[in-house]
Amino acid sequence: MSFFGFGGGGIKVEIELEEHPERAGIVALDHPPTWKVRKNVFTSLKYPPGKRGLPNPSLAGNPAAVDAASATALVSPGGGHHNTYAYEASEDVEGKVVLFLPQGKKADHLGIKVQFFGRIDMGMGIHEGRPHYDFISLSKELVPPGTLYQAKTVVPFHFRNVEKEFESYRGRNVSVRYFVRVVVERKFLPPLHKEDEVFVQIIGKEPEVNESIKMEVGIEDCLHIEFEYERRCYHLNDVILGKINFLLVRIKIKHMELAVIRRETSGEGVATTSIAPPGSAQPAPAIQGVNADANILTETQTLTKYEIMDGAPVKGEQIPVRLYLKGIPADLTPTYDGVNNRFSVRYFLNLVLVDEEDRRYFKQQEIILWRKEIG
């Protein structure tokens, strides 16, 4: 729900989106998706996903805990109550607009309309005078010009068969948003606006070809390693399995780390901009900044990092790799490639070796993520 405060004749407006949680194409989320990495990696275990507003079954028998959890899930910063749901792209957007007036009052208006937008918002400095681009813009008149007398007026709306070609995405420098906006036109006063966001997700298809990744890298006469991952493509709740073999070790390795990196590239013409190949086994360079020529901004995030080996390896040693994507303390998205020619999101596995002089040697390998289910 979303609210206007009283004003313009005392009108108070509430937007109620139809949620239909019983339908497979609408799933409750435990929080609005974000680009930020959660500091507490156990949050998803402490507050498992489920229908917001319903007590967690694990809290049964503790009324105080149930009340606290319900209050946390339901109360929004504005003091209203708001559930967060993910909608499959084929689902219709429907709901109702509720207009309230104080008892005995009336309010004149020049018409009330509802709009539905699909918008790509670009960050400052990466657009050429155009901070956002609307790829969907629909408008319907709900109430013609007139006067409201009732204390409560309910007006339904329904946007049918709207093609939602992109997923909702909240990135560091770019975002894709779908939202419903209600506009109340007023005489001699600016119109009142209020928005309510709709989170859209698109189920992908499992790649027909999903070959393993096997590469040999190293430094001549010093280090030679072979790493292998079972697949290149993974769904968002998948497990990455692999192994690392040491074929030649003549430098003193202190430990080895494996990190998952998200790289967001945004700007006009991003699909035609060449992307530098993953790094080789050498001291790690900076991989973040602005390409001034193409007006492209690249933002790199380390989503999680594990130490998978401690101590110096010997020739012939094999290190197993097992990484659960579901355990990453961030909201993973599918791999996006040149969305509307404005941004891309790619994921990499970054293997880092650290020697006793704290020199870092790394190798990056891109992986492809896809969405298997809504949620």
Side-chain angles (χ1 to χ4, degrees), residues 207-226:
E208 296 180 1
V209 179
N210 196 358
E211 72 280 4
S212 62
I213 302 172
K214 187 174 182 180
M215 297 185 68
E216 294 185 8
V217 296
I219 302 173
E220 187 175 0
D221 297 330
C222 292
L223 178 68
H224 189 190
I225 63 175
E226 176 188 78

Side-chain angles (χ1 to χ4, degrees), residues 120 165-167 176 270-271 335-345:
I120 299 177
E165 55 182 323
F166 308 127
E167 277 205 349
V176 178
V270 70
T335 297
Y336 300 138
D337 186 16
V339 175
N340 203 251
N341 201 25
R342 283 174 168 79
F343 75 95
S344 297
V345 178

Side-chain angles (χ1 to χ4, degrees), residues 287-322:
I287 51 176
Q288 179 171 319
V290 179
N291 182 332
D293 296 333
N295 200 28
I296 300 297
L297 181 63
T298 299
E299 186 77 26
T300 300
Q301 282 181 289
T302 299
L303 303 182
T304 190
K305 181 169 62 176
Y306 297 99
E307 184 176 285
I308 59 175
M309 184 192 73
D310 185 19
V314 296
K315 180 180 178 180
E317 190 164 2
Q318 184 179 95
I319 306 298
V321 174
R322 181 184 296 266

